[in-house]
Amino acid sequence: MQLRVLDTAGDAARWDAFVRAHPAATFFHLAGWRQVIAESFGHGVHFLFTERDGAITGVLPLAHVRSLLFGRKLVSLPFCVYGGPLAADADSRAALVARAGELARELGVDFLELRNIEPQGDLPVSARYVTFRRALDPDPEKNLAAVPRKQRAMIRKGAAKGLVPRFDAPLDDFFRVYAESLRNLGTPVLPHRYFVNLQRVFGPECQVMTVGEGAEGPPVAAVMSFYFRDQVLPYYGGGTAAARECQGYDFMYWELLVHALGRGARQFDFGRSRQGTGSYRFKTHWGFEPEPLGYQYDLVRARELPNVTPDNPRYHALINVWRRLPLGVTTAVGPWLARDLG
């Protein structure tokens, strides 16, 4: 077995062929993330793979995030909710994890983070995050019946108020809504070029949807979704202050679900949330059951994992100040901060 670093287009094609054929693979294992992360944020990328007799047997995408504010980490993969080692056999997986640990020490990071869906091996596991996934029925009505009654009423109210879905909407429409939504939550927005790169690299597997009143009304909610095999992942979503008043969120996610069925989706992945947060409650109100995520860590220099989330009391004052800043200021300054969060 050989262990190599991804650096050619030919290897990237072989990497993706392995990922698309592996039953445990996710959208975040695709080789395109190497280009997206490097070009959008300038982070060092180390995409490791093993091969035997010319065939790839395992992949592990890694990025080196260096921050004066939040420390240094080697993670698989920043800005992604999944992405730990993916291997055809135990030896390949062990070789990838061992090399990742060596690389973490060579780079002098605080810790190595492997964002597994399920724990693998003996590294410590964090219980901070859960994910929400559910199988879809080909019949939209059966999926609607699976949504709790209160949320079904929200969907119908949104339709009654004249909301209209717009698929393949302009990226700038999405970004304006998303930036405002994050400002209102007290969270820095990611750079516009990141979303441009996502669309450029992943093409039709990355789709923007907006929701507005009528055909010409301004968007009140927007979401960027990823498609992978038979899965749809509404990944970056947000809304204006008007979205709650017209049930824009519920209407948007329902219309996305129906649209995704037409594209062949058979699983709706509502993504990661921290327990006890608003997004956690929203997803449970839709009838989704939380599944613990098996994020694992190798502490290199750190004695404990840093808590770089809104749960940390040290950030509460900054969050409250951020919410009151003008949107133009947060859109200009936010990307500088967000690039180091990952």
Side-chain angles (χ1 to χ4, degrees):
M1 179 169 48
Q2 291 182 308
L3 195 149
R4 298 176 54 198
V5 178
L6 178 66
D7 59 5
T8 70
D11 285 340
R14 295 196 303 130
W15 174 300
D16 279 349
F18 173 82
V19 168
R20 294 186 186 280
H22 197 292
T26 72
F27 181 79
F28 307 101
H29 285 100
L30 292 171
W33 284 98
R34 178 177 180 271
Q35 181 180 355
V36 168
I37 289 174
E39 293 183 1
S40 303
F41 306 105
H43 297 321
V45 287
H46 307 268
F47 277 42
L48 310 178
F49 69 96
T50 53
E51 62 180 355
R52 187 182 293 114
D53 298 326
I56 291 181
T57 60
V59 300
L60 177 55
L62 293 160
H64 179 200
V65 179
R66 293 166 289 183
S67 171
L68 294 175
L69 294 175
F70 308 115
R72 298 156 61 96
K73 62 184 177 181
L74 185 64
V75 56
S76 175
L77 199 60
F79 311 103
C80 301
V81 294
Y82 317 132
L86 183 73
D89 56 77
D91 288 345
S92 298
R93 184 196 173 278
L96 290 167
V97 174
R99 177 56 190 143
E102 293 171 357
L103 183 60
R105 285 158 178 81
E106 292 169 10
L107 295 171
V109 300
D110 298 320
F111 60 90
L112 165 69
E113 179 178 17
L114 301 175
R115 295 183 176 177
N116 306 307
I117 294 180
E118 297 180 354
Q120 306 177 47
D122 299 327
L123 289 174
V125 180
S126 168
R128 179 174 293 164
Y129 295 106
V130 298
T131 190
F132 294 84
R133 297 178 296 172
R134 188 165 71 193
L136 298 177
D137 192 280
D139 183 353
E141 291 304 315
K142 291 183 179 179
N143 292 298
L144 184 61
V147 177
R149 183 173 60 181
K150 182 177 179 180
Q151 302 310 117
R152 292 202 303 269
M154 295 290 190
I155 294 168
R156 295 189 179 103
K157 286 179 181 178
K161 291 182 179 180
L163 293 182
V164 174
R166 302 157 188 168
F167 295 97
D168 298 311
L171 180 64
D172 286 350
D173 287 356
F174 157 81
F175 188 76
R176 281 193 296 271
V177 172
Y178 184 64
E180 179 179 339
S181 179
L182 288 197
R183 189 277 310 271
N184 294 342
L185 291 171
T187 302
V189 68
L190 292 160
H192 184 273
R193 67 176 178 276
Y194 168 61
F195 299 102
V196 172
N197 288 334
L198 285 171
Q199 286 198 319
R200 177 173 55 84
V201 170
F202 294 114
E205 291 181 301
C206 175
Q207 185 184 51
V208 165
M209 171 194 181
T210 62
V211 165
E213 295 187 21
E216 302 297 332
V220 298
V223 61
M224 174 178 279
S225 301
F226 301 140
Y227 289 84
F228 180 72
R229 295 195 296 222
D230 65 345
Q231 305 163 14
V232 59
L233 301 86
Y235 202 66
Y236 291 110
T240 66
R244 293 188 182 278
E245 299 174 7
C246 61
Q247 288 72 49
Y249 293 104
D250 292 287
F251 179 84
M252 177 175 70
Y253 288 119
W254 170 250
E255 289 295 324
L256 173 65
L257 187 153
V258 174
H259 175 79
L261 288 177
R263 289 187 53 156
R266 294 298 178 264
Q267 185 186 65
F268 195 92
D269 188 331
F270 235 153
R272 183 184 80 176
S273 292
R274 297 188 312 281
Q275 299 191 49
T277 61
S279 67
Y280 179 99
R281 290 188 291 272
F282 179 82
K283 294 166 188 178
T284 57
H285 291 165
W286 267 67
F288 282 69
E289 293 292 332
E291 305 170 31
L293 283 173
Y295 286 13
Q296 291 178 279
Y297 299 87
D298 181 357
L299 299 184
V300 179
R301 300 174 62 185
R303 294 186 177 181
E304 61 182 15
L305 291 175
N307 180 11
V308 189
T309 73
D311 297 336
N312 191 329
R314 66 184 293 188
Y315 298 124
H316 289 179
L318 292 174
I319 290 170
N320 290 332
V321 170
W322 195 264
R323 287 171 173 163
R324 295 193 293 268
L325 292 175
L327 183 59
V329 173
T330 60
T331 304
V333 178
W336 179 78
L337 294 171
R339 67 179 294 277
D340 291 339
L341 293 173

